[in-house]
Amino acid sequence: MEPIELADRLGRWSAGRGPLYLLLAGRLRTLIDDGELPAGAPLPPDRTLAKVLAVGRTTVVAAYDLLSAEGRVVRRQGSGTRVAGAAAAVRPDTTHSPAFLQLLEPDADVIALACAAPRTPPPEVVEAYRRVLPDLAGLDGDIGYHPLGIPVLRTAIADRYRARGVPTAPEQILVTGGGQQALSLIARALLGPGDRVLVEAPTYPGALEAFREVAAVPRACPIGLGQVRSAALAYVISTCQNPTGAVLSTLARRALVESAAREGIPLVDDEVLADLGFPGTDPPPPPLAAFGDGVISIGSLSKILWGGLRVGWVRGPAAVVARLARLRAVHDLGGNVPAQLAAAVLLPELDRLRERIVRQRKDCHDTMVAELAARLPEWEVPRVSGGQTLWIRLPHGDGTSFAQRALRHGVAILPGAGLDASGGNVDRVRISFVAARDELREAVRRLARAWRTYEPPELPAPAAPPLAV
């Protein structure tokens, strides 16, 4: 197993209390006992793993020795360290993305800037639920299973697309339990093992997880993808790109849609962040779906309103939507009806709510950028015109080992390599600015302390080019 892969699987191992070697041994013990590290699997050498985790070699040696004494690993001179027992069939992987592990392993002492989402529902969400209670009480003869989504919400979503210049019928809308479920359904419906998926480098890590879950192979492309060919699917975030904040131009959008149509490649436009452009910036170009009938669009209320409102959607050709609905029916029969009723109330008011919300996001962005400039001036921190994250280049070292150091100082951030299907962008980190401004200031203070104690690992020398023959 590669050291960086094991570091991802370890998750937030060092965020607890106690000696680091005990924390590391405890997390490895859990992975072994749960079968995540199967019998016979080799573990990275002491020095190599220590460098990736930004700890001393003695920490890894002590953890391995403790597990060896427990009989969970076998250490032999010259052959390294392996999980005890004969090699066994490997179980299907669960997620090892730090963004998801942050949700699975919350810690009150850690400022969570790895997952970019609002922390508190705005008052309008509470009011929307109050307003729909009479409708909910008046339901009669409705079994409550709606794999496509309730009609009133599908109509409201279609109306919103028409207002943006994209003719849409309710039959082209599937309501989902958020944007992530939309991605998972699309992956299961349109991809198979070994299929190639074109993705931007960097991109949203949840998309990479969804594609890899069905054993598809993401292929890294430049931001905006450019000309697409030789793939089963293409995935792009055309507005407020995650994590860079980039916005694809009208000309590039038209060229991308035409290229995908010419090659017969389904094109997915992730618009979950499309409403998060900051005040004073130019409005984004029309959605990709305005340039071609075959585009599959994904939307959600999670990022602009609240993640707990698990309402997202897919807009696409009616035949694709019907196929997704059949798959959705097998998985969960349909979404939460009260949440959908509330979403139908909120959608017509979204533009008004958006004005206040994006103004708050810009204030948080400006606070974070100013604090980083004051405390970490050597970091390369490009400002963005919308979205929720900063894509930062470190002056030395790598994002994976620094993220481990930052976690031990009480801040969770995402290393850049996990957002790049090719494993590139190793010198980058993604940091969310969606938090209270006082919390952001404290997070930067902790990051600055982490940086002062950070000793980057030695990176392996690049391989020599082959000799000409």
Side-chain angles (χ1 to χ4, degrees):
M1 178 179 296
E2 292 297 323
I4 288 180
E5 181 186 353
L6 180 56
D8 285 344
R9 294 189 181 211
L10 289 170
R12 301 170 65 171
W13 68 273
S14 63
R17 299 184 183 279
L20 286 176
Y21 84 93
L22 289 179
L23 297 175
L24 178 57
R27 183 63 174 173
L28 286 167
R29 183 184 299 116
T30 299
L31 293 176
I32 292 169
D33 292 350
D34 288 351
E36 294 270 352
L37 295 177
L43 298 178
D46 311 339
R47 293 183 187 277
T48 305
L49 184 59
K51 289 177 180 178
V52 171
L53 297 181
V55 297
R57 177 173 176 254
T58 55
T59 296
V60 178
V61 170
Y64 279 174
D65 286 347
L66 179 58
L67 294 172
S68 177
E70 296 172 355
R72 285 182 167 84
V73 302
V74 177
R75 287 166 66 73
R76 291 193 177 93
Q77 188 78 23
S79 60
T81 303
R82 291 180 176 270
V83 178
V90 179
R91 297 183 184 182
D93 276 348
T94 55
T95 180
H96 308 299
S97 168
F100 291 113
L101 290 176
Q102 177 175 297
L103 303 177
L104 294 166
E105 303 169 1
D107 188 323
D109 296 329
V110 173
I111 299 176
L113 301 182
C115 182
R119 311 286 180 85
T120 305
E124 289 84 359
V125 172
V126 179
E127 174 63 16
Y129 272 91
R130 188 191 66 79
R131 287 171 57 183
V132 304
L133 284 177
D135 296 333
L136 189 62
L139 289 178
D140 185 20
D142 186 338
I143 194 173
Y145 297 152
H146 298 274
L148 281 159
I150 61 173
V152 65
L153 180 55
R154 297 174 69 203
T155 298
I157 296 169
D159 289 345
R160 186 164 177 81
Y161 273 104
R162 285 197 296 272
R164 298 171 66 201
V166 183
T168 303
E171 292 74 23
Q172 294 178 264
I173 301 296
L174 168 75
V175 178
T176 64
Q180 187 65 35
Q181 186 184 58
L183 273 170
S184 295
L185 289 171
I186 289 170
R188 288 181 177 276
L190 302 182
L191 296 172
D195 283 347
R196 178 182 292 181
V197 184
L198 304 182
V199 298
E200 298 168 292
T203 191
Y204 168 53
L208 298 179
E209 291 282 308
F211 300 144
R212 287 168 175 155
E213 185 187 29
V214 297
V217 181
R219 177 186 174 188
C221 298
I223 298 295
L225 297 182
Q227 298 292 312
V228 297
R229 58 176 61 89
S230 303
L233 188 75
Y235 169 79
V236 67
I237 307 170
S238 62
T239 306
C240 298
Q241 200 263 355
N242 182 353
T244 66
V247 177
L248 207 58
S249 69
T250 300
L251 184 62
R253 290 172 190 242
R254 186 183 302 277
L256 175 59
V257 173
E258 291 176 352
S259 174
R262 189 165 52 248
E263 297 292 326
I265 298 173
L267 176 61
V268 176
D269 183 18
D270 190 334
E271 293 193 289
V272 167
L273 304 177
D275 288 315
L276 294 179
F278 291 158
T281 59
D282 293 333
L288 293 190
F291 300 97
D293 295 334
V295 175
I296 302 169
S297 304
I298 295 174
S300 172
L301 295 179
S302 298
K303 301 301 185 183
I304 191 166
L305 293 180
W306 182 48
L309 186 65
R310 302 306 303 147
V311 175
W313 57 84
V314 176
R315 184 263 177 211
V320 172
V321 167
R323 183 176 178 184
L324 295 175
R326 290 193 294 272
L327 186 60
R328 171 79 188 276
V330 171
H331 278 256
D332 64 2
L333 301 178
N336 181 291
V337 171
Q340 293 182 64
L341 289 170
V345 169
L346 289 163
L347 266 178
E349 303 175 3
L350 195 57
D351 289 335
R352 177 181 59 81
L353 297 178
R354 175 190 171 279
E355 293 180 8
R356 184 187 77 240
I357 291 168
V358 296
R359 196 162 50 243
Q360 293 169 345
R361 300 285 170 87
K362 185 179 188 302
D363 289 344
C364 292
H365 165 273
D366 293 348
T367 296
M368 174 68 93
V369 170
E371 289 291 316
L372 288 170
R375 297 181 181 274
L376 291 161
E378 63 271 38
W379 284 17
E380 183 182 316
V381 186
R383 302 176 70 91
V384 296
S385 60
Q388 306 190 117
T389 57
L390 297 174
W391 185 236
I392 296 170
R393 186 191 301 274
L394 303 176
H396 55 262
D398 66 279
T400 297
S401 61
F402 178 68
Q404 292 285 332
R405 175 67 62 178
L407 186 60
R408 290 201 291 281
H409 283 75
V411 186
I413 60 177
L414 280 189
L419 285 74
D420 188 328
S422 68
N425 282 294
V426 294
D427 59 346
R428 299 270 191 166
V429 292
R430 192 195 83 171
I431 301 181
S432 167
F433 52 79
V434 185
R437 281 181 284 179
D438 287 346
E439 193 173 29
L440 294 175
R441 294 186 183 98
E442 175 60 23
V444 176
R445 283 193 286 270
R446 296 183 187 186
L447 288 171
R449 288 196 295 269
W451 185 250
R452 287 195 295 270
T453 65
Y454 174 59
E455 296 180 3
E458 295 179 10
L459 298 177
L467 296 175
V469 292

